[in-house]
């Protein structure tokens, strides 16, 4: 799957079959930003084809998660891709797919750094409003993964036994008390577009979760913002930076990709390899210091 999921030539027959089934217009097929699944553009539509069930990817859960996330966001008035069609094709393998409205706008990784201060302020205000809109309790029956344990994401084993003991102790202490609600979970620089007024347009809802609101913070602060002091200062607004740092730290502990974020902090700021980190709380101490510096600047 990893060797061909960006191959237009290999996916043309499948896309054309979807077009016939769903009565959608034909057109030139092009690659879009790669992810786990096959994503192609065709005119004003985006075709997202999930890895078939023979692969190692949990495609069924991802599919149900993304469909729920898209519809939940739109039910709250959040502008996100409309689902034009959703279904599956049973060929040699079973391929589940979405056909989505193609939102116009550059990825944040391309344009966010080029905004002036007024535009950045508006972007951050709109982003905060978006988060407040959708972080609310979920219906009891939903397909989203429920997040509750520190270190439950991937690859924390690279940090060694001492970090593992600290994570276990944090779980015993029930280190957070915030209620669980809807989170997008992956608001990175590639999953947020900017519209003509430089407002955020979220895409790719496959990592939606039932989690505390601070679960959103690591990908926002450390990928979407890329540790940018001005963006972090604007995001803090009237929030105590120490409080925000602690919540971001909890987010790192809980996040599916938190270990990777912690590794970036180690190598980029703490000048140590992940396996040499003596205590997970050094991540918290760095975040407190860095966010205070951002606000003071």
């Amino acid at each position: 799957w990893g060797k061909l999921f960006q191959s237009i030539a290999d996916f043309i027959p499948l896309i054309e079959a979807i077009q016939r089934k769903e009565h959608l217009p034909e057109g030139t097929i092009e690659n879009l930003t790669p992810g786990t699944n096959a994503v192609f553009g065709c005119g004003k539509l985006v075709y997202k084809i999930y890895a078939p069930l023979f692969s190692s990817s949990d495609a069924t859960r991802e599919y149900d998660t993304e469909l729920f996330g898209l519809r939940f966001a739109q039910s709250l008035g959040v502008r996100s891709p409309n689902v034009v069609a959703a279904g599956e094709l049973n060929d040699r393998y079973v391929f589940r797919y979405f056909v989505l409205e193609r939102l116009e706008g550059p990825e944040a990784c391309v344009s966010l750094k080029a905004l002036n201060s007024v535009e950045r302020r508006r972007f951050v205000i709109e982003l905060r409003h978006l988060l407040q809109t959708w972080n609310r309790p979920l219906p009891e029956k939903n397909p989203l993964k429920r997040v509750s344990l520190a270190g439950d994401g991937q690859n924390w084993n690279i940090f060694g036994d001492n970090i593992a003991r600290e994570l276990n102790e944090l779980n015993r202490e029930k280190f957070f008390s915030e209620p669980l609600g809807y989170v997008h979970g992956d608001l990175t620089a590639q999953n947020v577009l900017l519209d003509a007024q430089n407002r955020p347009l979220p895409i790719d809802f496959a990592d939606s979760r039932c989690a505390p609101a601070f679960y959103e913070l690591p990908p926002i602060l450390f990928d979407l913002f890329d540790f940018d002091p001005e963006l972090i200062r604007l995001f803090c607004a009237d929030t105590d930076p120490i409080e925000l740092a602690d919540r971001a730290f909890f987010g790192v502990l809980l996040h599916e990709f938190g270990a990777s974020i912690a590794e970036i902090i180690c190598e980029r700021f703490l000048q140590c390899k992940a396996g040499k980190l003596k205590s997970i709380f050094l991540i918290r101490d760095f975040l407190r210091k860095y966010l205070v510096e951002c606000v003071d600047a």
Side-chain angles (χ1 to χ4, degrees), residues 226-282:
D226 191 26
F227 297 89
D228 183 280
E230 183 184 17
L231 291 170
I232 290 175
R233 177 178 60 80
L234 292 169
F235 190 81
C236 277
D238 298 326
T239 305
D240 178 358
I242 297 294
E243 178 186 346
L244 183 65
D246 287 351
R247 295 179 76 243
F249 173 64
F250 293 159
V252 170
L253 300 181
L254 279 186
H255 204 281
E256 181 176 3
F257 307 115
S260 297
I261 295 170
E263 185 177 14
I264 290 170
I265 291 173
C266 285
E267 295 184 356
R268 183 169 170 179
F269 296 99
L270 302 182
Q271 284 76 52
C272 73
K273 295 292 184 181
K276 299 295 183 181
L277 185 68
K278 295 181 179 179
S279 170
I280 195 66
F281 294 102
L282 293 174

Side-chain angles (χ1 to χ4, degrees), residues 46-67:
V46 173
Y47 290 77
K48 184 167 186 177
I49 302 168
Y50 279 73
L53 299 183
F54 74 89
S55 73
S56 60
S57 172
D58 186 0
T60 299
R61 182 164 192 167
E62 285 184 13
Y63 181 93
D64 294 339
T65 292
E66 183 152 24
L67 184 59

